[in-house]
Amino acid sequence: MTMQRTPLLMSKLLDRGAWIAPDEEVVTRTAGGTHRQTYADTRRRAAQLANGLIDHGIEFGDRVATFMWNGWRHLELYHAVPSIGAVLHTLNIRLGAGDLEYIVNHAEDRIIFVDADLLPILERLVPAIPRVERYVVCGDPDAEPWETSLPDAVDYEEFISGFGDGIEWPEFDENAPLGLCYTSGTTGNPKGVMYTHRSTYLHTMAEAMTDTLNLSAADCACGVVPMFHAMGWGLPFAATMLGAKQVMPHRFMASEPLLDLIASERVTISAGVPTIWQGVRALLEASPDRHDLSALDRLVCGGSAPPISLIRWYWDTHRVEMIQGWGMTEMNPLGTVSRRIAKRSQLALDEDARFANVAKAGLLSPGLEMKIVDEEFRPVPHDGKALGELLVRGPWVCSEYYHDPQPEKFRDGWLVTGDIASIDPEKYLIVADRSKDLVKSGGEWISSVDIENHIVGLEGAALAAVVAQPHPKWDERPVALVVSAPGAELTGDRVIAHCAERFARWQLPDEVLFREALPLTSTGKIDKKAVRAELEAEGYRLPDLRRDAPSARSA
Amino acid sequence: MTMQRTPLLMSKLLDRGAWIAPDEEVVTRTAGGTHRQTYADTRRRAAQLANGLIDHGIEFGDRVATFMWNGWRHLELYHAVPSIGAVLHTLNIRLGAGDLEYIVNHAEDRIIFVDADLLPILERLVPAIPRVERYVVCGDPDAEPWETSLPDAVDYEEFISGFGDGIEWPEFDENAPLGLCYTSGTTGNPKGVMYTHRSTYLHTMAEAMTDTLNLSAADCACGVVPMFHAMGWGLPFAATMLGAKQVMPHRFMASEPLLDLIASERVTISAGVPTIWQGVRALLEASPDRHDLSALDRLVCGGSAPPISLIRWYWDTHRVEMIQGWGMTEMNPLGTVSRRIAKRSQLALDEDARFANVAKAGLLSPGLEMKIVDEEFRPVPHDGKALGELLVRGPWVCSEYYHDPQPEKFRDGWLVTGDIASIDPEKYLIVADRSKDLVKSGGEWISSVDIENHIVGLEGAALAAVVAQPHPKWDERPVALVVSAPGAELTGDRVIAHCAERFARWQLPDEVLFREALPLTSTGKIDKKAVRAELEAEGYRLPDLRRDAPSARSA
C-alpha cells in the first residue's frame, strides 16, 4: 500500500502524553489532601502494571475489571490494560448486587481492581462471582490500611512492585477489543458495549477538535463523570493524548470538595451530569465569593439535558461556557455537542438566540451520521417539530451488544437509539425523550423532558420528573413530581401556571405531586422507571379517575 | 464485530459540510470580482460532476488530473473525484514541461481539468501526453470565452450539464487511493505520493484539533497555498467537513489583491509559504491603514521556516498568530505545528520565550511518531543540539512512492524524511536543514536555514540563500547570496557582522554575494539546487581559493 497502515492503537496515547508532557500532573483528591504524579510516572507505573498483569497470566482479549472511583490508579489501568491487548471492564459501582453479579459473570472478568472504600460492596458479591481469580485493592494513601474478606486480595502497590517500568507495547489489529461498559437496561439484563481500539482512538481525536470539546494541552481537565460511565466520556484518554493536566475527584464529588478542587488546581474544563452542576451552582450562590473560578472556562454537561436557565446562569455569572453533549454508552459516548457559537452564521446572533441553540442536544460530531425515522423507518422531515426515532451510524457506534447481539437494536448498519427526537433546519438534534418516557396522549406525544426542564426553570423548583399515567380516554396523561428547593413555598397551581406559559393546555400535567426526594439512577439521572414503580406501589390514580378529587391540578 | 466498521471515506466530508452548513459560502476571486456559491450548491455540482465522470467512463482507481488554481470548481473536483472512488491528481502548474509530461504519463491521467488562463502551458505538452482522453476547460466567468488548440476540449459547465445533481456515493475500503501528488525531487524523476481515503480522513480530523490549526465552523479559511501542493495542506477538506466559509484567491495571489480579499471576506485563517506573508507584511507596512485585518486570527506558515522576526511582527502589530507548520507531501502534509501556547507549562512563559518556541518547527501532531537517528540509524539524544536524520511514522505517512517504491526512503515502517533535525527536551522538532542543503565543514554540520533566517532578520535584507561550496581542506564552506530590500544599502561586512552576533566564527559564510533575485522552486521556496547550479555555471570559487581575492568576506 501507498500509505502506512499504522493501526490506531490506544497505547500510542499514553506514550504521546508522557513523551510530550512528561512533567504535567495527574492530581487525585484523597482523604487527606491530594495525590500527585506526572505523566512520566504514570507511564512507568502503567508499564509495571502491564508487566504485572502479563505475569499473572492475563492474555490478549482477557477481561480485567475495575470497581473504582476516578483516580490515578484507574488512569493507569485505563492505559495499561488495553495497551497489552486485554480488555478494561469498568464496573458501575452504583448498580445493584444482582446486576453486578450478572455483569461480572457475563464478562468473565479474571481480575477485579477495587478501591478500598468500596470493599464492603464488592465483598457481598463474592459468593456469586466465583470465577474471579484475583482481587487487587487500591488503598487511599491517607487512610488506614485496608482489611477485607475478599479471597486472595493483594494491594495494588504490591501487585505492581518488582516489575520493570519499561515496556514495548505490542502491535495488533485496531479492531481488537479495548474496553467493556454495560448499560443498565430498562428491561432484561444489562447489555455490554465492547469498544475497540479503533472506535476509541477516533473518538479521542474527535474530542480534541475545536468544535467539540475544544480540548487542548493547555487545559486542566477534571472529569466528574465517573470513569465507569462510558469510559468517563473519553476525557481521560483525550487529556492524556494531549498532555493536558488531569484532576480526579475520587469519591469526593459533593459540591464543596469539588469546588475546592476546581479552584485550587485551576481546572479549565470539567464534565458531569446536570445534577452536579446544579449542586455547584447552589453552593456558589450561597457563598459567591469563596471560590476562585477565574481559570474555569468550560463545563461539559451530559447524561441528561441541562435546563437552559442553568446554562445561562454559568455564562452570565461566571463566563463559563456550559457545553451540552448528547451521547450514549453505545457510542463511546460522544454524539452531539452544543456550543455558544457553533457555526459562522451564528456570529451575528444575540445571546438569547445563542442560548436557545445551546439548549438543544447539539450538532453532530464530525465522523458520525444521524437520521430520524417513523415507525416504518421512513425518514421524518428536519423541521424541528416532527418527531422520530433517532438512528446513528459511524466508526464509534456499536453494532451489537457483547455476547448478546440484540438485533432489533440495529437496522441496516444503524444503531436504533431508543431516543425520540426532532432535527431542526439548522441540523440541531433536539432529543424529545427516551421512547419509553414519552407520554402518548390522545394520539399525540408529550415530551416529559421538555416539561421537566421548564419546571426546574421556576424559582423554588429543585428537581422535577414527569411520567405517564394510564388514562382510559387519552391512553396516557402526564403527572409531575417536584422537589422544592429548601425554604421555597411552591404550589401545584404555581407550577401548572408556569408550564402554561410555554405548553399547550393538553400538554400540561394533570397533577403536581411534591416529594422530599426523587430516586436517581446509577448514572445520576432521575430514575423514571423507579418513579413510575413508586406511583404504582402507592396505588396512584389520575385526578379525574379518583372519586374524591377536589381539583384536577393541585397537590 | 462489536463496533461499526464504517469506512473512513472522504465522501462523508462534503456531505457533512453541505448538510450542516448548506448556506455557508465558497468565495473565489475572479477577474472581475468574486464568484460565490454555497456548500449546498457545491454538493449539487459535485454530484453533477461525479455523474459526468461516470458517464465518461471513469472507473474506480482511474486518475483524473487538475491543472488549476484554487477555486470553486477545483473544490468540486476535490470532493467528486475521490467520492466515486477515482483518484484526484493535482498537477503542479509551475513545474517544467519535462516534469509535467513525465508525471501525466506516469500517472496515466485519463482526463485533465484545466483553468482557461493556464491553457497556453498545457497546450505545449499535448504532443507528449497522447493518452489523455479529454480536456475540460474551466473559464473565468468574467473573462472572454476561452479558445484552445487542445484536442476534444469541452467547457466544465458543459461537461457537467444535463447530469443529475443527486448521487449516493459508493462505499468501499478506506485504504482505497484518493489523491496523487508528485514531489519535485532533487535527483531523478518526480515521485508520486498516493494518499488514501483513510490517510486523508485522519489528517482532516487532526487539522480540526484545537492544538493543531484550531479550525472551527466559525472560521473563514483562505488557503493561499495552491491546491496542487499536498492537497492545499488539507485545508479544503477540513474547512468543508466543518462547514467553515472558504475563500479562494485563484491566480490573484499578489499581496494587494490577497489583502483585499482577506479584508473584504473577513478571513479568520489563511495559509501559505513565508514569501507570501513577507510580501503581505511589506504592503501592510507601506500602507498601514488601508486594510481591515480585524477578523484575521491565524496565519499558517509552512513550506519553509518563517523568520522569527516575521512571526513576531504579525503578533505585535496585528495580534495575528502565525502558526509555523512543518510537513511533507509524503505526509499529507501535516507533521508538526508551533503555537504561541502549546503546553500548559508554557502559560507562565514570557513573550520572548513563547516566540522562541514558535520559531521551532513545532510539536508533533497527535497520531504521528518521530525520531532522529545517526547514519547507522541509532537514536540521537533529544537535547536540542544533537542533529540526526528525521524519521516519521503514522497513518498519514506514505510507505512507498506510486509505482516507484524507492525502498531506501523507507526503513522498518518509517519514512526517512531527508531532513536533518534536532529534538529539544520539550520535544520540539527543530529542522536544521534538508540533508542535501547542510554544509559539512570540517566534520561539523552548519545549518543553511539557520543562517538564512538570521540574515533576513537584518534590516535591509529581503531574501537570503546559504549554500555549500567545495573546499579542499574543510570539505565544504558556506556562501551567502542576499537580495537587498529596495533602497537598502547593505554590505557583505554588515551581513557577516550580523551573523557573528549569533553564530560561531567557523559557521560564518566565507562570502556574501548580492543578487537582484534568487530562483524559486515551484512551491515558492528558494531553489538551492538552482542557486548551486548558477554558482557552478559562473565558475564560482571560494575566496581563499581565488588568487586575486582581496578579502575573504566581501561581496
Side-chain angles (χ1 to χ4, degrees):
Chain A
M1 272 311 299
T2 53
M3 301 301 285
Q4 296 180 12
R5 296 260 198 137
T6 327
L8 308 176
L9 296 180
M10 296 302 282
S11 54
K12 309 280 187 192
L13 302 193
L14 176 58
D15 280 4
R16 182 181 193 274
W19 188 74
I20 213 157
D23 302 326
E24 198 48 79
E25 283 185 312
V26 175
V27 179
T28 308
R29 175 68 204 264
T30 61
T34 54
H35 172 277
R36 314 180 86 85
Q37 69 183 31
T38 65
Y39 278 119
D41 298 332
T42 305
R43 174 63 169 82
R44 280 190 292 268
R45 286 170 54 86
Q48 286 187 283
L49 170 60
N51 288 322
L53 289 166
I54 291 166
D55 183 73
H56 178 84
I58 292 296
E59 296 188 349
F60 189 86
D62 284 351
R63 269 75 62 210
V64 174
T66 59
F67 199 77
M68 296 170 74
W69 304 103
N70 294 11
W72 77 99
R73 293 194 188 104
H74 212 166
L75 187 67
E76 290 161 13
L77 284 152
Y78 256 55
H79 292 286
V81 175
S83 293
I84 62 169
V87 174
L88 178 80
H89 176 203
T90 52
L91 289 163
N92 183 338
I93 62 172
R94 294 183 187 136
L95 291 178
D99 277 351
L100 280 169
E101 288 161 11
Y102 170 83
I103 289 170
V104 171
N105 288 324
H106 186 264
E108 301 176 82
D109 294 323
R110 290 188 59 190
I111 306 188
I112 299 181
F113 286 77
V114 52
D115 269 331
D117 59 311
L118 298 171
L119 281 167
I121 309 176
L122 197 62
E123 285 163 356
R124 288 195 290 273
L125 311 181
V126 165
I129 51 173
R131 280 182 297 179
V132 176
E133 298 160 13
R134 195 86 209 244
Y135 294 93
V136 184
V137 183
C138 304
D140 186 319
D142 298 325
E144 295 290 301
W146 52 268
E147 285 179 25
T148 183
S149 64
L150 288 175
D152 198 22
V154 60
D155 189 85
Y156 183 95
E157 298 304 321
E158 193 183 324
F159 184 83
I160 71 170
S161 76
F163 292 105
D165 63 4
I167 192 167
E168 283 264 345
W169 305 117
E171 276 218 356
F172 42 80
D173 189 303
E174 69 191 36
N175 290 297
L178 159 132
L180 186 56
C181 286
Y182 280 75
T183 63
S184 34
T186 46
T187 53
N189 286 318
K191 298 183 292 294
V193 180
M194 181 66 93
Y195 305 126
T196 62
H197 283 258
R198 174 183 166 96
S199 76
T200 309
Y201 192 104
L202 292 170
H203 182 266
T204 306
M205 289 185 81
E207 284 203 341
M209 288 184 183
T210 315
D211 282 351
T212 59
L213 305 190
N214 203 9
L215 281 173
S216 150
D219 270 320
C220 173
C222 174
V224 185
V225 51
M227 289 165 80
F228 53 78
H229 284 171
M231 296 288 167
W233 299 351
L235 217 51
F237 289 129
T240 300
M241 175 182 80
L242 296 171
K245 180 176 172 181
Q246 286 191 66
V247 176
M248 306 202 158
H250 207 262
R251 71 177 181 275
F252 307 96
M253 288 186 288
S255 302
E256 182 85 48
L258 193 58
L259 262 179
D260 287 343
L261 195 65
I262 287 172
S264 62
E265 298 298 331
R266 308 219 28 95
V267 166
T268 59
I269 177 169
S270 187
V273 292
T275 44
I276 294 282
W277 306 125
Q278 278 168 324
V280 166
R281 171 186 174 175
L283 182 60
L284 286 168
E285 287 184 312
S287 47
D289 299 321
R290 207 166 73 213
H291 298 93
D292 171 17
L293 287 193
S294 60
L296 190 64
D297 183 55
R298 284 153 291 152
L299 290 179
V300 182
C301 194
S304 57
I308 190 168
S309 55
L310 186 71
I311 298 169
R312 184 120 204 190
W313 184 85
Y314 275 103
W315 181 256
D316 289 344
T317 316
H318 292 281
R319 280 293 176 270
V320 168
E321 180 185 0
M322 182 167 274
I323 302 176
Q324 180 172 175
W326 169 87
M328 300 174 74
T329 299
E330 286 84 347
M331 48 199 302
N332 236 85
L334 181 71
T336 64
V337 288
S338 263
R339 303 288 308 269
R340 279 189 74 247
I341 298 170
K343 294 183 175 193
R344 193 164 169 79
S345 56
Q346 295 172 354
L347 291 170
L349 295 182
D350 64 21
E351 287 290 320
D352 286 346
R354 286 178 182 171
F355 283 106
N357 280 331
V358 179
K360 302 169 191 168
L363 295 171
L364 197 64
S365 168
L368 299 177
E369 293 169 88
M370 68 178 179
K371 60 180 176 181
I372 48 175
V373 297
D374 66 15
E375 288 172 4
E376 273 80 50
F377 288 91
R378 290 173 303 211
V380 163
H382 296 172
D383 58 10
K385 291 175 198 131
L387 291 175
E389 176 138 21
L390 178 65
L391 273 56
V392 292
R393 177 164 78 168
W396 56 89
V397 178
C398 88
S399 56
E400 64 178 14
Y401 291 101
Y402 179 66
H403 288 182
D404 185 9
Q406 304 266 346
E408 74 282 8
K409 303 278 184 184
F410 306 93
R411 192 180 168 101
D412 298 336
W414 295 76
L415 169 70
V416 179
T417 64
D419 275 335
I420 301 299
S422 61
I423 297 175
D424 75 7
E426 289 283 331
K427 301 304 175 188
Y428 274 88
L429 174 68
I430 303 160
V431 177
D433 224 329
R434 293 295 296 167
S435 55
K436 61 185 184 297
D437 291 335
L438 269 184
V439 184
K440 286 122 196 155
S441 173
E444 296 287 341
W445 279 344
I446 300 171
S447 162
S448 63
V449 171
D450 280 356
I451 302 178
E452 288 160 5
N453 279 341
H454 189 72
I455 292 176
V456 295
L458 177 64
E459 198 172 328
L463 281 176
V466 171
V467 294
Q469 287 297 297
H471 190 284
K473 180 173 175 193
W474 305 111
D475 245 354
E476 292 180 347
R477 289 294 304 153
V479 169
L481 294 90
V482 174
V483 178
S484 298
E489 293 193 13
L490 214 51
T491 65
D493 288 345
R494 178 81 195 82
V495 171
I496 294 296
H498 174 68
C499 290
E501 290 169 14
R502 174 159 165 207
F503 299 101
R505 198 175 155 73
W506 64 272
Q507 295 175 308
L508 302 179
D510 278 7
E511 189 165 29
V512 179
L513 307 170
F514 286 93
R515 295 290 162 108
E516 292 296 310
L518 287 171
L520 298 180
T521 68
S522 63
T523 59
K525 304 178 202 178
I526 294 170
D527 188 341
K528 301 277 200 81
K529 191 170 61 161
V531 170
R532 284 189 291 260
E534 277 182 17
L535 289 176
E536 196 179 343
E538 291 167 13
Y540 177 83
R541 300 189 71 202
L542 286 163
D544 59 350
L545 306 180
R546 299 200 298 256
R547 298 260 166 90
D548 55 345
S551 147
R553 284 182 180 142
S554 64
Chain B
M1 272 311 297
T2 53
M3 301 301 285
Q4 296 180 14
R5 297 260 198 134
T6 327
L8 307 176
L9 296 180
M10 296 303 281
S11 53
K12 310 280 187 192
L13 302 193
L14 175 58
D15 280 5
R16 182 181 191 274
W19 188 75
I20 214 157
D23 302 327
E24 197 48 78
E25 282 184 314
V26 176
V27 180
T28 307
R29 176 69 205 264
T30 60
T34 53
H35 172 277
R36 314 180 86 86
Q37 69 184 31
T38 65
Y39 277 118
D41 298 331
T42 305
R43 173 64 170 81
R44 281 190 292 268
R45 287 171 53 87
Q48 286 187 284
L49 170 59
N51 287 321
L53 289 167
I54 291 166
D55 183 72
H56 178 82
I58 292 296
E59 295 189 350
F60 189 86
D62 284 351
R63 269 75 63 210
V64 174
T66 60
F67 198 78
M68 296 170 75
W69 304 101
N70 294 10
W72 77 98
R73 292 193 189 106
H74 212 167
L75 187 67
E76 291 161 11
L77 285 151
Y78 256 54
H79 292 285
V81 174
S83 293
I84 61 169
V87 173
L88 177 79
H89 177 202
T90 52
L91 291 163
N92 185 339
I93 62 171
R94 294 183 186 136
L95 291 178
D99 277 350
L100 280 169
E101 288 161 12
Y102 170 83
I103 289 171
V104 171
N105 288 325
H106 186 264
E108 302 176 83
D109 296 324
R110 291 189 58 191
I111 306 189
I112 299 181
F113 287 77
V114 53
D115 269 331
D117 58 312
L118 298 171
L119 282 167
I121 309 177
L122 198 61
E123 285 162 355
R124 288 195 289 272
L125 310 180
V126 165
I129 51 173
R131 280 182 298 180
V132 175
E133 300 160 12
R134 194 88 211 243
Y135 294 93
V136 184
V137 184
C138 305
D140 185 319
D142 299 324
E144 295 291 300
W146 52 267
E147 285 178 27
T148 183
S149 65
L150 288 176
D152 198 22
V154 59
D155 190 83
Y156 183 95
E157 298 303 322
E158 194 183 324
F159 185 82
I160 71 169
S161 76
F163 292 104
D165 63 4
I167 192 167
E168 283 264 344
W169 305 118
E171 276 219 356
F172 41 79
D173 189 305
E174 68 191 36
N175 290 297
L178 159 131
L180 186 56
C181 286
Y182 281 75
T183 63
S184 34
T186 46
T187 53
N189 286 319
K191 298 184 291 296
V193 180
M194 181 66 94
Y195 305 126
T196 62
H197 283 258
R198 175 183 166 96
S199 76
T200 308
Y201 193 104
L202 292 171
H203 182 265
T204 307
M205 288 186 80
E207 285 203 340
M209 287 184 184
T210 315
D211 282 351
T212 58
L213 305 190
N214 204 9
L215 280 173
S216 150
D219 270 320
C220 173
C222 174
V224 185
V225 51
M227 289 166 80
F228 52 77
H229 283 170
M231 295 289 165
W233 299 351
L235 217 51
F237 289 129
T240 300
M241 175 181 80
L242 297 171
K245 180 176 173 181
Q246 286 190 67
V247 176
M248 306 200 158
H250 207 262
R251 72 177 180 276
F252 307 95
M253 287 187 289
S255 301
E256 182 85 48
L258 192 59
L259 261 178
D260 287 343
L261 195 65
I262 288 172
S264 63
E265 297 299 331
R266 305 213 39 87
V267 166
T268 60
I269 178 169
S270 187
V273 293
T275 43
I276 293 283
W277 306 126
Q278 278 168 323
V280 166
R281 172 186 173 174
L283 183 59
L284 286 168
E285 286 184 314
S287 47
D289 298 323
R290 206 167 72 213
H291 298 94
D292 171 16
L293 287 193
S294 60
L296 190 63
D297 183 55
R298 285 153 290 152
L299 291 179
V300 183
C301 193
S304 58
I308 189 168
S309 55
L310 186 70
I311 298 169
R312 185 119 203 191
W313 184 85
Y314 276 103
W315 181 257
D316 290 344
T317 316
H318 292 281
R319 280 292 176 271
V320 168
E321 180 184 0
M322 183 167 274
I323 301 175
Q324 179 172 175
W326 170 88
M328 301 174 74
T329 300
E330 286 84 346
M331 48 198 304
N332 236 91
L334 181 70
T336 64
V337 288
S338 264
R339 304 288 308 269
R340 279 190 73 246
I341 299 171
K343 293 183 176 193
R344 193 166 169 79
S345 57
Q346 295 172 354
L347 291 170
L349 294 183
D350 64 21
E351 288 290 320
D352 286 346
R354 285 178 182 171
F355 283 105
N357 280 330
V358 179
K360 303 169 192 169
L363 295 171
L364 197 64
S365 168
L368 299 178
E369 294 170 87
M370 68 177 179
K371 60 180 177 182
I372 48 175
V373 296
D374 66 15
E375 287 173 4
E376 272 80 50
F377 288 92
R378 289 173 305 211
V380 164
H382 297 173
D383 57 10
K385 290 173 199 136
L387 292 174
E389 176 138 20
L390 178 66
L391 273 56
V392 292
R393 176 164 80 168
W396 57 88
V397 179
C398 87
S399 56
E400 63 178 16
Y401 291 101
Y402 179 65
H403 289 182
D404 185 9
Q406 305 265 347
E408 74 283 6
K409 303 278 184 185
F410 306 93
R411 191 179 169 103
D412 298 336
W414 295 76
L415 169 70
V416 180
T417 64
D419 274 335
I420 301 299
S422 61
I423 297 175
D424 75 7
E426 290 282 332
K427 302 304 177 190
Y428 273 88
L429 175 68
I430 302 159
V431 177
D433 225 329
R434 292 295 296 167
S435 56
K436 62 185 183 298
D437 291 334
L438 268 185
V439 185
K440 286 123 196 153
S441 173
E444 296 287 340
W445 279 344
I446 300 171
S447 163
S448 63
V449 171
D450 280 357
I451 302 177
E452 289 160 4
N453 279 341
H454 189 72
I455 292 175
V456 294
L458 176 65
E459 199 173 326
L463 282 176
V466 171
V467 293
Q469 288 297 299
H471 190 282
K473 181 173 175 194
W474 304 113
D475 244 355
E476 293 180 347
R477 290 294 304 155
V479 170
L481 295 90
V482 174
V483 178
S484 299
E489 294 192 12
L490 214 51
T491 65
D493 289 344
R494 179 79 195 85
V495 171
I496 294 297
H498 173 68
C499 290
E501 290 170 15
R502 173 157 165 209
F503 298 102
R505 200 175 153 72
W506 64 271
Q507 295 175 308
L508 302 179
D510 278 8
E511 189 165 30
V512 178
L513 308 169
F514 287 93
R515 297 288 163 110
E516 291 297 311
L518 287 171
L520 299 180
T521 68
S522 64
T523 60
K525 304 177 203 180
I526 294 171
D527 189 340
K528 301 279 198 81
K529 192 170 60 160
V531 170
R532 284 188 292 260
E534 277 182 17
L535 289 176
E536 197 180 342
E538 292 168 13
Y540 178 82
R541 300 189 70 201
L542 286 164
D544 57 350
L545 307 180
R546 300 199 297 257
R547 298 260 167 91
D548 55 345
S551 146
R553 282 181 180 141
S554 63

